[in-house]
Amino acid sequence: MALSDREAAIERSKTEEARLLVSRHAADLFWRHGVDGTSGDDIAAASGVSKRTVWRYFRSKEACVEPLLLVTELRFVALFRDWPRNVSIETFLYGAMKSFIEGEQAVRDGVAAARIVALLPKEPALRSAWLMACSQAEVEFTQIVAKRIGRSPDDFEVKLCAATAMAAMRLVDEDISSAAVNKGQKFELDEVTERIASAIRAASTLPICDPVE
């Protein structure tokens, strides 16, 4: 018998949660043992699921980290949904970033994601998962850009602005993650915020960073 829309939504939610659980364990294993040193069996055992389930959820072992990266990226982009039209990017982010580092699980996910991003130079096979997560976050950011300037999300200039801004954020994320994780460099929240805001302002091809009418 076919599931109702509500039942189907519940099943999708359960599957997404299960995939995220596996993803968290995979990220930890990759960080501790590397991609080559981690097998599908290892991921399944750490997650408490069968290897068959792992391969049903993911196209490859490297893709196992995608849900973790995605949930972190989407959580960051979601901050911008509350960006007031009469506030600049700098003023908004200085207030909003504090909420991004609240919550025990969110912080753990953020650290785990930063470690995976920091591994990219040594583990290039993980880059496809990272870019997939960034691509999906870009779709969400396109909606935010469109709403801010009152244009369609299908407008090429809107999509271009969202793409360039997200690319700038991705580069900042990669640079800071590598410096913090691989080199032990310390960053204050205000410094991270300033770098993100400056990157978005420099990369934006539409006037989204200043107050809009």
Side-chain angles (χ1 to χ4, degrees):
M1 183 172 61
L3 295 176
S4 67
D5 290 345
R6 181 173 180 276
E7 289 172 331
I10 291 172
E11 285 301 313
R12 285 194 299 272
S13 179
K14 288 180 179 178
T15 298
E16 289 168 2
E17 283 297 318
R19 292 180 77 249
L20 180 56
L21 175 64
V22 174
S23 189
R24 286 167 175 153
H25 286 290
D28 180 60
L29 289 169
F30 289 163
W31 169 247
R32 290 190 287 116
H33 305 298
V35 175
D36 287 344
T38 302
S39 67
D41 286 335
D42 295 329
I43 295 171
S47 306
V49 300
S50 68
K51 185 168 68 172
R52 181 178 179 180
T53 297
V54 171
W55 299 137
R56 188 171 75 248
Y57 286 163
F58 303 101
R59 62 189 179 277
S60 66
K61 68 178 180 179
E62 293 83 4
C64 288
V65 296
E66 199 171 298
L68 170 71
L69 296 172
L70 179 60
V71 76
T72 305
E73 287 297 294
L74 290 181
R75 184 168 169 269
F76 179 71
V77 169
L79 292 177
F80 290 90
R81 295 197 188 105
D82 296 324
W83 184 5
R85 292 172 61 83
N86 63 342
V87 172
S88 71
I89 183 69
E90 291 82 6
T91 300
F92 169 68
L93 278 181
Y94 275 114
M97 283 292 285
K98 294 176 183 177
S99 66
F100 186 66
I101 59 172
E102 293 177 350
E104 185 178 347
Q105 186 62 64
V107 171
R108 286 202 298 265
D109 284 347
V111 170
R115 286 173 171 174
I116 292 300
V117 172
L119 281 175
L120 294 179
K122 295 190 298 183
E123 301 282 6
L126 295 176
R127 184 165 289 277
S128 62
W130 171 231
L131 294 179
M132 285 288 288
C134 291
S135 178
Q136 292 186 60
E138 182 184 310
V139 172
E140 296 297 318
F141 196 67
T142 300
Q143 299 288 332
I144 291 165
V145 171
K147 182 178 180 182
R148 184 162 181 81
I149 60 173
R151 291 168 67 169
S152 168
D154 294 325
D155 187 314
F156 175 80
E157 290 185 340
V158 169
K159 291 190 287 186
L160 178 62
C161 183
T164 56
M166 284 299 300
M169 285 189 269
R170 175 176 58 80
L171 290 173
V172 171
D173 202 350
E174 291 177 4
D175 189 62
I176 289 178
S177 294
S178 179
V181 176
N182 297 329
K183 300 176 184 178
Q185 188 172 338
K186 303 294 184 182
F187 293 92
E188 297 295 330
L189 182 59
D190 282 354
E191 181 181 358
V192 173
T193 302
E194 180 180 358
R195 289 188 61 178
I196 294 172
S198 295
I200 294 173
R201 180 174 285 279
S204 296
T205 56
L206 290 174
I208 64 170
C209 293
D210 292 312
V212 295
E213 294 296 330

